[in-house]
Amino acid sequence: NNSLYIGCFDGLWRYDKSINQVTKLDIVANKLVLKLEQKNNLLYIATDGYGLYVYDLISEEIINHVDDSIGLQNPEVIDVLPLDNGKLWIAHNNNISIYQQNSHTVTTLKTPNRSKVISLIIANNKIFASTLGDGILVFNQQGDLLAQLSTGHSFTEMLLVNDVIWASGKPGLYRISPT
């Protein structure tokens, strides 16, 4: 609506366009925010060392916290991908976890990579995970590994534009067909 949420080194900030003002929110005070993702009036806040927070944008309160106390192998959450079926894909260190919101359970996938998972994206009903050194991993929505693309290459952020994945990598920019 009229708000822009900004994650930074000391927590979460909100710019309110209606009053042209920036305010620091206390919900993840003094925590390094690595990624923000918004879906269905929920803001997913990935932090460095404190897990994942789920913030309700309507009630303006934290409604869930996913961390190592419920089975997350590493509380450094680099990216999060909320799916329509209620599952949350969580990228951290050299693992990917799937959090089931209904049962509050975490499953960590067995992957061939040893490097950090940086970005998650869904395209053509598949999950693509970019890594720093192990290419791009492709999964079905159940978490089964379907393919590993460009093994040995580093990729960072990915975007879906007109049904084509754009991935920044070393070296260059790549277009990947999700089919």
Side-chain angles (χ1 to χ4, degrees), residues 35-37 79 81 118-123 128-130 136 155-169 173-178:
K35 178 78 179 226
L36 296 172
E37 188 69 42
D79 197 5
L81 178 64
I118 298 299
S119 184
L120 298 168
I121 196 165
I122 185 168
F128 292 77
S130 64
I136 295 176
F155 291 92
T156 55
E157 221 31 62
M158 294 184 295
L159 291 173
L160 186 64
V161 179
N162 297 325
D163 296 324
V164 174
I165 298 170
W166 288 73
S168 58
L173 183 62
Y174 296 79
R175 288 186 300 176
I176 302 165
S177 170

Side-chain angles (χ1 to χ4, degrees), residues 115-133:
S115 56
K116 280 190 179 190
V117 179
I118 298 299
S119 184
L120 298 168
I121 196 165
I122 185 168
N124 196 30
N125 292 317
K126 295 181 282 255
I127 309 299
F128 292 77
S130 64
T131 69
L132 289 180

Side-chain angles (χ1 to χ4, degrees), residues 1-86:
N1 295 332
N2 283 321
S3 294
L4 171 68
Y5 289 86
I6 305 162
C8 63
F9 289 106
D10 63 349
L12 185 67
W13 296 75
R14 178 176 54 213
Y15 169 70
D16 188 331
K17 183 180 177 184
S18 62
I19 59 174
N20 198 28
Q21 185 175 353
V22 177
T23 307
K24 185 175 181 182
L25 303 178
D26 292 333
I27 55 176
V28 289
N30 302 319
K31 293 176 175 65
L32 174 59
V33 175
L34 297 177
K35 178 78 179 226
L36 296 172
E37 188 69 42
Q38 186 262 326
K39 185 177 179 105
N40 299 334
N41 292 317
L42 296 177
L43 183 64
Y44 299 90
I45 306 165
T47 67
D48 181 25
Y50 298 95
L52 175 71
Y53 293 87
V54 182
Y55 179 72
D56 187 313
L57 294 168
I58 295 172
S59 67
E60 296 186 349
E61 60 185 30
I62 295 287
I63 60 169
N64 202 351
H65 182 212
V66 181
D67 64 4
D68 50 355
S69 70
I70 63 164
L72 199 62
Q73 284 192 348
N74 188 330
E76 175 192 26
V77 176
I78 299 169
D79 197 5
V80 59
L81 178 64
L83 300 183
D84 291 334
N85 61 10

Side-chain angles (χ1 to χ4, degrees), residues 141-153:
Q141 290 191 34
Q142 292 72 40
D144 301 316
L145 183 66
L146 302 175
Q148 185 173 4
L149 311 174
S150 295
T151 304
H153 287 93

